[in-house]
Amino acid sequence: MKIVAIANQKGGVGKTTTAVNLCACLAELGKNVLLIDLDPQANATTAIGITPDSEVNLYRPLVDDTPVEDEIRETHIKGFYILPAALQLAGVEVTLAQRGNHHSRLREVLEPLRDLQQIDYVIIDSPPSLGVLMTSALATADDLLVPVQCEFFGIQALAGIYQEVLASMQAAELTHARLEGIVLTMYDGRTRLARSVIEEVRTHFPNETYKTIIPRTVRLGEAPSHAKTIIEYDPAGVGAFAYRALADEFIQRRREYRVT
């Protein structure tokens, strides 16, 4: 079981869209995937058609020692499971910060899942901030996946995000997560700026940047309002094609790591 945190302290970069649709495409390929919604806004939870519930969410395992298996829910997609979020998570940062093990708490909570050997990948949708929840995700994850929008502010923020994440990990003595990949999102091929962003990111992060690029498309924005993933809402569209390609590349990159 591999744990991958999808994180970016900047909001609006396609983080949750990537988390939900990557999970759906991995499940379509026959993988068993658990999506952990670590954002109190619970956007990933609602995007997959589950109403946030104060009685069933990640808060209880983190704070009340409820077995994590009790909070996992099946989605309507075979092989796609979710550990939902709810607004309660907004207060968990204060609670966890008061505990001596707040950086390692999420890792401890998820440890029993490794023994079950039923999940191939755990994908964590992190909140857009460098608070306790994100550092918990970094402390737990084997890999870090960073979505970067193909716009001026995306490239402007990338270097800062990278440095701040590393500084946050070092301050907390976290050594688990590594920057495995950068996914370029919201690409509009009609603009010169978008093409320049791709070139610059690939120049500075040649090994980390995924070949697959996620386009800017209305369908990707519409799908969550129908509680559907892009491969259900617009299966033949460019968004579905891109996320299927991303899932293929995601799996292939991990095969290459095992070889090396």
Side-chain angles (χ1 to χ4, degrees):
M1 185 181 84
K2 283 290 184 182
I3 301 177
V4 180
I6 299 181
N8 189 325
Q9 71 171 28
K10 187 178 184 301
V13 299
K15 178 176 58 61
T16 297
T17 298
T18 294
V20 171
N21 289 298
L22 176 59
C23 285
C25 291
L26 289 171
E28 185 181 52
L29 292 172
K31 303 298 182 181
N32 289 321
V33 187
L34 171 62
L35 173 60
I36 296 179
D37 191 350
L38 202 59
D39 190 339
Q41 298 178 82
N43 289 335
T45 300
T46 56
I48 200 64
I50 295 177
T51 301
D53 185 345
S54 61
E55 298 299 321
V56 181
N57 60 75
L58 183 57
Y59 181 91
R60 300 202 309 165
L62 286 174
V63 175
D64 299 333
D65 297 320
T66 300
V68 67
E69 301 95 316
D70 293 351
E71 307 303 305
I72 294 174
R73 294 292 177 264
E74 294 183 359
T75 72
H76 60 278
I77 298 174
K78 182 181 179 182
F80 185 171
Y81 304 87
I82 186 167
L83 210 172
L87 190 58
Q88 282 176 299
L89 278 177
V92 80
E93 295 213 6
V94 175
T95 304
L96 288 183
Q98 294 172 346
R99 301 176 63 149
N101 64 339
H102 62 277
H103 288 303
S104 61
R105 179 58 183 160
L106 181 60
R107 186 168 71 249
E108 294 170 359
V109 164
L110 298 182
E111 194 61 32
L113 298 181
R114 294 188 183 274
D115 298 330
L116 295 178
Q117 297 182 341
Q118 296 175 342
I119 302 296
D120 297 302
Y121 300 110
V122 172
I123 307 294
I124 303 175
D125 184 26
S126 306
S129 66
L130 279 171
V132 170
L133 288 174
M134 182 184 281
T135 54
S136 296
L138 296 175
T140 303
D142 302 305
D143 297 333
L144 173 63
L145 193 62
V146 180
V148 174
Q149 64 189 126
C150 295
E151 297 178 359
F152 172 74
F153 290 113
I155 189 63
Q156 184 184 47
L158 177 57
I161 292 167
Y162 183 56
Q163 292 301 324
E164 287 191 43
V165 167
L166 289 180
S168 176
M169 291 175 65
Q170 291 172 359
E173 298 182 350
L174 306 178
T175 59
H176 292 79
R178 64 187 176 89
L179 179 60
E180 181 273 334
I182 296 170
V183 179
L184 294 159
T185 63
M186 303 181 179
Y187 173 67
D188 184 348
R190 298 170 300 179
T191 68
R192 182 181 300 175
L193 174 61
R195 296 191 294 271
S196 298
V197 168
I198 291 174
E199 182 178 351
E200 187 165 351
V201 172
R202 286 180 170 168
T203 297
H204 288 90
F205 299 94
N207 298 322
E208 293 84 0
T209 307
Y210 272 68
K211 295 178 182 177
T212 302
I213 299 172
I214 307 302
R216 180 183 292 279
T217 164
V218 173
R219 296 293 191 179
L220 280 171
E222 292 175 343
S225 66
H226 297 271
K228 292 183 177 181
T229 66
I230 193 61
I231 60 175
E232 299 169 292
Y233 183 68
D234 188 26
V238 294
F241 178 84
Y243 274 109
R244 285 183 170 121
L246 183 69
D248 286 334
E249 189 174 356
F250 179 91
I251 292 173
Q252 182 58 41
R253 286 167 72 98
R254 277 148 187 80
R255 288 173 180 162
E256 293 172 355
Y257 294 147
R258 287 199 295 268
V259 171
T260 56

